[in-house]
Amino acid sequence: MKFIITFNDVSGSLRTEQVLKRFAYPCVIDAAPRGLGAGCVYIIRTAAQTQEEIASILESAEIGWANIIADEAG
């Protein structure tokens, strides 16, 4: 399943990209769609089995994120 990860700051998206690539998850940094809110500038698009799988990786790497949502466009 494809997901979008949102962040409150740019550094979170950059760190997440590095971590996900290290674990061989396909991912790309993208500009946030307008509907996600003004505070969100960059997002990560990735694929995983579940949202919890992604959350666990980010928690282990001590990376903060705002939300993990299903990527309806993907």
Side-chain angles (χ1 to χ4, degrees):
M1 183 170 203
K2 294 186 179 183
F3 295 99
I4 293 174
I5 309 167
T6 64
F7 303 89
N8 294 323
D9 58 50
V10 175
S11 64
S13 60
L14 297 173
R15 289 187 57 220
T16 296
E17 180 187 38
Q18 293 172 346
V19 169
L20 290 177
K21 286 184 175 182
R22 188 176 328 131
F23 286 102
Y25 283 83
C27 64
V28 64
I29 292 180
D30 200 357
R34 284 186 169 186
L36 291 181
C40 182
V41 178
Y42 293 105
I43 62 169
I44 294 280
R45 293 183 189 273
T46 191
Q49 294 295 317
T50 65
Q51 290 174 328
E52 292 79 13
E53 181 180 349
I54 297 168
S56 176
I57 290 169
L58 298 180
E59 287 170 3
S60 294
E62 298 180 350
I63 298 173
W65 71 96
N67 204 357
I68 302 172
I69 56 175
D71 186 356
E72 302 296 332

